[in-house]
Amino acid sequence: MTRQRTPVVADWFSGEGENFRLLGTRCSACGSVFFPREDSYCRNPGCAGGELAEVPLSKRGRVWSYTDGRYRPPAPYASDPEQEWEPYTLVAVELEAERMVVLGQAVPGVTPGQLAVGTEVEVVPGVLNEDADTTWTTWHWKPVNGR
Amino acid sequence: MDDLALEAGERAMSARDVAVLGAAMHPWGKWGRGFVEYGVKAARDALADAGVDWRDVGSIVGADTVRGGYPGYVSGATFAKALGWQGARVTSVYAACASGAQAVQTARTQILAGLADVVLVVGADAAPKGFFRPAGGDRPDDPDWLRFRVLGATNPAYFGLYARRRMAVHGDTLADFAQVKVKNAAMGALNPYARYRKTVTTEEVAASAVVADPLRLLDICATSDGAAALVLSSVDFARRHGAPDPVRIRAVSTVTPEYPQTVLDLPDIATDSAAVAAPPARPFRAAIAHAAYEEAGIGPDELSLAEVYDLSTALELQWYEDLALCGEGEAAKLLRDGATALGGRVPVNASGGLASFGEAVPAQAIAQVCELTWQLRGTAGARQVPGARVGITANQGLFGHGSSVIAVR
């Protein structure tokens, strides 16, 4: 059986392999970038408002901070309660050009002990969970010089 | 009256003061009953403390809970009905963890506008077990739903991020975080309203399970049942009522962040971009406190005590800096020096804080003001801060709600 690959949220990321990117939007009037994307209004209070166009975010950034989840999060996080809980790592990444911090899960297998504030990471495609019909895809942060 | 006398009079009694006539709580815990019952007990005790008959209250303000179904969304009316309909003006407010401050602010503005002489403020919650979770349904337009669906990012995950960041940037240690718990547990052990009334050692903190690296179970506050209530009035009413020198609320800060919000905040998945618009002079939490200080005309060096929202031990340290009790990065030193313990220069969370209470969301910011009230009256018993004259509370609600109250006597 082939599951349909579907992004967990539409239009937050796109591309395959090397071309994978998070997608934000940029205001045509003031240049402000938004992630998660704003498609209806610019949130800069000093901006009269412009068109919001899709823009890929920087592929690489540096770890702002990190943590992990030792206990199963509640729904709507998808996990099989029959299976033993496998902790995963969460990373907050500072993107230099955008001057913003974006959260994400680390690629599976990366533990907090392998990270430090300032570690260079890049965004890669990942799988959040699978159900009967669907492979839900997401973004992951991956250390550049690591695994 | 000459100018000097006028100035002295203004310092002693600001025209924007409101009096705290009564303060009360239902003890925090896991009692297995509904939030209304807790709220009614706190309300009745606050009215008794004030010596005010419920039928003489002109306005009631409820801080809502999202965990009690419809009655929780209209908590002002829910409490009014339970106390017995008597025709009071009613308001129900919600601002996540800052709901209590919004309720106090609503009561205060009604009093200062002359719309009511006496206002009853009530907040109560019956908390579920385990992590807080978003409301049900499939709601991809709700950031709170998204952070769970996409990242599984619980509240402790954010606390873990802040803690790890402090360790890297300021050199805070796990021992510092544990010391916050030890300090707050020691004070909470003296508070009959606290849920946890046992002292805790650093070894016990270190032996508790890691929840979100680097934070352990005893670094993170629990969720609790509880209720708190205040009876607020105009200063004139207080005088006529036989309270010539009541505790007075001098400032309530309910500010929002300034764009770009550059500190990753619950429940957001990203910060605003600071590439185009320059970041504000003060990050959000510091701006919350700054607004309260400005409104009160009081500086951090005048504080006798502070009640801050220690959702985690590391976050308490962050508040020291945001309240300007010390410079940036100096919070752990302030703690190590004992300045924020009972007997120190400015005791923080003399009540025992969230570490000893666990969070009862809509009641918590009201409970902080109850503690200030008792401390400023000099009736806080074994945890009394000697000679307390000025206190501040600080708190922050999800989705951009500032909350800070300054009370004086």
Side-chain angles (χ1 to χ4, degrees), chain A residues 58-95:
Chain A
S58 299
K59 186 176 179 63
R60 291 189 175 185
R62 291 191 180 276
V63 172
W64 181 84
S65 192
Y66 54 96
T67 185
D68 62 6
R70 300 288 177 97
Y71 293 88
R72 191 188 308 276
Y77 192 74
S79 72
D80 180 354
E82 303 293 315
Q83 301 272 320
E84 193 178 342
W85 172 246
E86 288 276 343
Y88 62 90
T89 300
L90 274 172
V91 193
V93 176
E94 197 161 21
L95 304 179

Coordinates of all heavy atoms in Angstrom, one line a residue, chain A residues 58-95:
Chain A
S58 N 15.9 31.2 4.6 CA 17.3 30.7 4.5 C 17.3 29.3 4.8 O 16.6 28.8 5.7 CB 18.2 31.5 5.5 OG 18.2 32.9 5.2
K59 N 18.2 28.5 4.1 CA 18.3 27.1 4.4 C 19.0 26.8 5.7 O 18.7 25.9 6.4 CB 19.0 26.5 3.2 CG 19.1 25.0 3.2 CD 19.8 24.4 2.0 CE 19.8 22.9 2.0 NZ 18.5 22.3 2.0
R60 N 20.0 27.6 6.0 CA 20.8 27.4 7.2 C 20.6 28.4 8.3 O 20.3 29.6 8.0 CB 22.3 27.3 6.8 CG 22.6 26.1 6.0 CD 24.1 25.9 5.8 NE 24.3 24.6 5.1 CZ 25.5 24.1 4.9 NH1 26.6 24.8 5.3 NH2 25.7 22.9 4.3
G61 N 20.8 28.0 9.5 CA 20.8 28.9 10.6 C 21.6 28.4 11.7 O 22.3 27.3 11.6
R62 N 21.6 29.1 12.9 CA 22.3 28.6 14.0 C 21.4 28.4 15.2 O 20.4 29.1 15.4 CB 23.4 29.6 14.4 CG 24.5 29.7 13.4 CD 25.8 30.4 13.8 NE 26.7 30.4 12.7 CZ 27.6 29.4 12.5 NH1 27.6 28.3 13.3 NH2 28.4 29.4 11.5
V63 N 21.7 27.4 16.0 CA 20.9 27.0 17.1 C 20.8 28.1 18.1 O 21.8 28.6 18.6 CB 21.4 25.7 17.8 CG1 20.6 25.4 19.1 CG2 21.3 24.5 16.9
W64 N 19.5 28.6 18.4 CA 19.3 29.6 19.4 C 19.1 28.9 20.8 O 19.6 29.4 21.8 CB 18.0 30.4 19.0 CG 17.7 31.5 20.0 CD1 18.2 32.8 20.0 CD2 16.7 31.5 21.1 NE1 17.6 33.5 21.0 CE2 16.7 32.7 21.7 CE3 15.9 30.5 21.6 CZ2 15.9 33.0 22.8 CZ3 15.1 30.8 22.6 CH2 15.1 32.0 23.2
S65 N 18.4 27.8 20.7 CA 18.3 27.0 21.9 C 17.7 25.6 21.5 O 17.3 25.4 20.4 CB 17.5 27.6 23.0 OG 17.6 26.9 24.2
Y66 N 17.6 24.7 22.5 CA 17.1 23.4 22.2 C 16.6 22.7 23.4 O 17.0 23.1 24.5 CB 18.3 22.5 21.5 CG 19.5 22.5 22.3 CD1 19.8 21.4 23.2 CD2 20.4 23.5 22.3 CE1 20.9 21.4 24.0 CE2 21.6 23.5 23.1 CZ 21.8 22.4 23.9 OH 22.9 22.4 24.7
T67 N 15.8 21.7 23.2 CA 15.3 20.9 24.4 C 14.8 19.6 23.8 O 15.0 19.3 22.6 CB 14.1 21.7 25.1 OG1 13.7 21.0 26.2 CG2 12.9 21.9 24.2
D68 N 14.1 18.8 24.7 CA 13.5 17.6 24.1 C 12.2 17.3 24.9 O 11.9 18.0 25.8 CB 14.5 16.4 24.2 CG 14.9 16.0 25.7 OD1 14.3 16.7 26.6 OD2 15.8 15.2 25.8
G69 N 11.5 16.3 24.4 CA 10.2 15.9 25.0 C 10.3 14.5 25.5 O 10.3 13.6 24.8
R70 N 10.5 14.4 26.8 CA 10.7 13.1 27.4 C 9.4 12.4 27.7 O 9.4 11.2 27.9 CB 11.4 13.2 28.8 CG 12.8 13.9 28.7 CD 13.8 13.0 28.0 NE 15.1 13.7 27.9 CZ 16.1 13.5 28.8 NH1 16.0 12.8 29.8 NH2 17.2 14.2 28.6
Y71 N 8.3 13.1 27.6 CA 7.0 12.5 27.8 C 6.1 12.8 26.5 O 6.3 13.7 25.8 CB 6.3 13.1 29.0 CG 7.0 12.7 30.3 CD1 8.1 13.5 30.8 CD2 6.7 11.5 31.0 CE1 8.7 13.1 31.9 CE2 7.3 11.1 32.1 CZ 8.4 11.9 32.6 OH 9.0 11.5 33.7
R72 N 5.2 11.9 26.3 CA 4.3 11.9 25.1 C 3.5 13.2 25.2 O 2.7 13.4 26.1 CB 3.4 10.7 25.1 CG 2.7 10.5 23.8 CD 1.6 9.4 24.0 NE 2.2 8.1 24.5 CZ 2.8 7.2 23.7 NH1 2.9 7.4 22.4 NH2 3.3 6.1 24.3
P73 N 3.6 14.1 24.1 CA 2.7 15.3 24.1 C 1.2 14.9 23.9 O 1.0 13.8 23.3 CB 3.2 16.1 22.9 CG 4.5 15.4 22.5 CD 4.4 14.0 23.0
P74 N 0.3 15.7 24.3 CA -1.1 15.4 24.1 C -1.5 15.6 22.6 O -0.8 16.2 21.9 CB -1.8 16.4 25.0 CG -0.9 17.5 25.1 CD 0.5 17.0 25.0
A75 N -2.7 15.0 22.2 CA -3.2 15.3 20.9 C -3.4 16.8 20.8 O -3.6 17.5 21.8 CB -4.5 14.6 20.8
P76 N -3.3 17.3 19.6 CA -3.3 16.6 18.3 C -1.9 16.1 17.8 O -1.8 15.7 16.7 CB -3.8 17.7 17.3 CG -3.3 19.0 17.9 CD -3.4 18.8 19.4
Y77 N -0.9 16.1 18.7 CA 0.3 15.4 18.3 C 0.0 14.0 18.1 O -0.6 13.3 19.0 CB 1.4 15.6 19.4 CG 2.8 15.2 18.8 CD1 3.5 16.0 17.9 CD2 3.4 14.0 19.2 CE1 4.7 15.6 17.4 CE2 4.6 13.6 18.7 CZ 5.3 14.4 17.8 OH 6.5 14.0 17.3
A78 N 0.4 13.4 17.0 CA 0.1 12.0 16.6 C 1.2 11.1 17.1 O 2.3 11.2 16.8 CB -0.1 11.9 15.1
S79 N 0.8 10.2 18.0 CA 1.7 9.1 18.4 C 0.9 7.9 18.8 O -0.3 8.1 19.3 CB 2.6 9.6 19.5 OG 1.9 9.7 20.7
D80 N 1.4 6.7 18.7 CA 0.7 5.5 19.0 C 0.8 5.2 20.5 O 1.9 4.9 21.0 CB 1.3 4.4 18.2 CG 0.6 3.0 18.4 OD1 -0.3 3.0 19.3 OD2 0.9 2.1 17.7
P81 N -0.2 5.3 21.2 CA -0.1 5.1 22.7 C 0.3 3.7 23.1 O 0.7 3.4 24.2 CB -1.6 5.4 23.2 CG -2.4 5.4 22.0 CD -1.6 5.6 20.8
E82 N 0.2 2.8 22.1 CA 0.6 1.4 22.3 C 2.1 1.2 22.3 O 2.7 0.3 22.9 CB 0.0 0.4 21.3 CG -1.5 0.5 21.2 CD -2.2 -0.1 22.5 OE1 -1.7 -1.1 23.0 OE2 -3.1 0.6 23.0
Q83 N 2.8 2.2 21.6 CA 4.2 2.1 21.5 C 4.9 2.9 22.6 O 4.4 3.9 23.1 CB 4.6 2.8 20.2 CG 4.1 2.2 18.9 CD 4.9 1.0 18.4 OE1 6.1 1.1 18.4 NE2 4.3 0.0 17.9
E84 N 6.1 2.4 23.0 CA 6.8 3.1 24.0 C 7.2 4.5 23.4 O 7.5 4.6 22.3 CB 8.1 2.3 24.4 CG 8.8 2.9 25.6 CD 10.0 2.0 26.0 OE1 10.2 0.9 25.5 OE2 10.8 2.5 26.7
W85 N 7.2 5.5 24.3 CA 7.5 6.9 23.8 C 8.9 7.0 23.5 O 9.8 6.7 24.3 CB 7.0 7.9 24.9 CG 7.4 9.3 24.5 CD1 8.3 10.0 25.2 CD2 7.0 10.0 23.4 NE1 8.5 11.3 24.6 CE2 7.7 11.3 23.5 CE3 6.1 9.8 22.4 CZ2 7.5 12.3 22.5 CZ3 5.9 10.8 21.4 CH2 6.6 12.0 21.5
E86 N 9.3 7.6 22.4 CA 10.6 7.8 22.0 C 10.8 9.3 22.0 O 10.3 10.1 21.2 CB 10.9 7.4 20.5 CG 10.9 5.9 20.4 CD 12.3 5.3 20.7 OE1 13.3 6.1 20.7 OE2 12.4 4.1 20.9
P87 N 11.7 9.8 23.0 CA 11.9 11.3 23.0 C 12.5 11.8 21.7 O 13.2 11.1 21.0 CB 12.9 11.4 24.1 CG 12.7 10.2 25.0 CD 12.4 9.1 24.0
Y88 N 12.2 13.0 21.3 CA 12.8 13.7 20.2 C 13.2 15.1 20.6 O 12.9 15.5 21.7 CB 11.8 13.8 19.0 CG 10.6 14.6 19.4 CD1 10.6 16.0 19.1 CD2 9.4 14.1 20.0 CE1 9.5 16.8 19.5 CE2 8.4 14.9 20.3 CZ 8.4 16.2 20.1 OH 7.3 17.0 20.4
T89 N 14.1 15.7 19.8 CA 14.7 16.9 20.2 C 14.0 18.1 19.4 O 13.6 17.9 18.2 CB 16.2 16.9 19.8 OG1 16.8 15.8 20.6 CG2 16.9 18.2 20.2
L90 N 13.8 19.2 20.1 CA 13.2 20.4 19.5 C 14.3 21.4 19.4 O 15.1 21.6 20.4 CB 12.1 21.0 20.4 CG 10.7 20.4 20.1 CD1 9.8 21.0 21.2 CD2 10.1 20.8 18.8
V91 N 14.4 22.1 18.3 CA 15.5 23.1 18.1 C 14.9 24.4 17.7 O 14.0 24.5 16.8 CB 16.5 22.6 17.0 CG1 17.7 23.5 17.1 CG2 16.8 21.2 17.2
A92 N 15.3 25.5 18.3 CA 15.0 26.9 17.9 C 16.2 27.4 17.2 O 17.3 27.4 17.7 CB 14.6 27.7 19.1
V93 N 15.9 27.8 15.9 CA 17.1 28.2 15.0 C 17.0 29.6 14.6 O 15.9 30.1 14.2 CB 17.0 27.2 13.8 CG1 18.1 27.7 12.8 CG2 17.2 25.8 14.2
E94 N 18.1 30.3 14.8 CA 18.1 31.7 14.4 C 18.6 31.8 13.0 O 19.7 31.3 12.6 CB 19.1 32.4 15.3 CG 19.0 33.9 15.4 CD 19.7 34.5 16.6 OE1 20.5 33.8 17.2 OE2 19.3 35.7 17.0
L95 N 17.8 32.5 12.1 CA 18.1 32.7 10.7 C 18.7 34.1 10.6 O 18.1 35.1 10.9 CB 16.9 32.6 9.8 CG 16.1 31.2 10.0 CD1 14.9 31.2 9.0 CD2 17.0 30.0 9.6

